[in-house]
Amino acid sequence: MNITTYRFDVVEKAAFRNGMSRLGTSVSVVTTKSGGMRYGFTASTICSVSDTPPTLLVCINRASSYFHAFENARNFCVNTLMPGHEEISDVFGGRTPSADRFALGEWREGLAGVPVLANASVSFECEFTNAIDEATHRIILGRVIDIRENEDQATLLYCMRRYLNG
């Protein structure tokens, strides 16, 4: 078994990305509505922060074309995808214009008016509570105000740069 180690002060971007690719994670599309338009992006950086009150953490690249929408929105939804949603993940993770991203999947308006994927494995509708800038990203914290679960479906997973059907 070959193991490569790196000192903290010499870790390069490629080595970091390779290491991070080994952390399996759920695949989610994070959505919001701003100025009457729907926006969304594929995210793998979703984390439970607390259950009292229920709070999630989402990371968003500040250089992204959709950042302005999330910067000014009051609510967002974390739509965790299920097997069969790989194309939705790819569209929201690529260069498809915001207006065209919602052509895939069945989207409904949530409690706070943000897009919710009707057949997501689970959807967490959140109200923004705080944000922290770190390096290239903004860490967004949101209090969960509604949850929709699809108890019959597994969650789409991503590890080592490929989808795994849970």
Side-chain angles (χ1 to χ4, degrees), residues 2-126:
N2 294 331
I3 297 177
T4 304
T5 58
Y6 300 94
R7 289 190 36 215
F8 179 74
D9 60 345
V10 295
V11 172
E12 295 178 0
K13 184 177 180 177
F16 179 73
R17 284 179 170 243
N18 283 338
M20 291 303 297
S21 77
R22 295 181 173 275
L23 297 180
T25 186
S26 61
V27 181
S28 297
V29 169
V30 182
T31 58
T32 195
K33 195 169 185 179
S34 179
M37 298 274 303
R38 298 181 297 180
Y39 297 89
F41 66 97
T42 299
S44 58
T45 310
I46 309 292
C47 181
S48 168
V49 175
S50 173
D51 65 358
T52 311
T55 305
L56 292 180
L57 169 156
V58 175
C59 293
I60 182 173
N61 189 324
R62 292 194 322 262
S64 68
S65 61
Y66 45 79
F67 175 74
H68 71 282
F70 285 86
E71 185 176 35
N72 297 315
R74 294 185 43 131
N75 298 89
F76 64 93
C77 186
V78 174
N79 299 280
T80 303
L81 304 182
M82 60 184 194
H85 285 161
E86 294 85 348
E87 191 176 3
I88 294 173
S89 172
D90 292 343
V91 165
F92 278 86
R95 302 204 186 287
T96 304
S98 290
D100 299 334
R101 292 181 178 197
F102 292 91
L104 285 175
E106 182 183 338
W107 297 92
R108 298 184 179 152
E109 190 171 287
L111 185 68
V114 297
V116 176
L117 183 60
N119 65 341
S121 177
V122 62
S123 294
F124 300 92
E125 199 168 347
C126 300

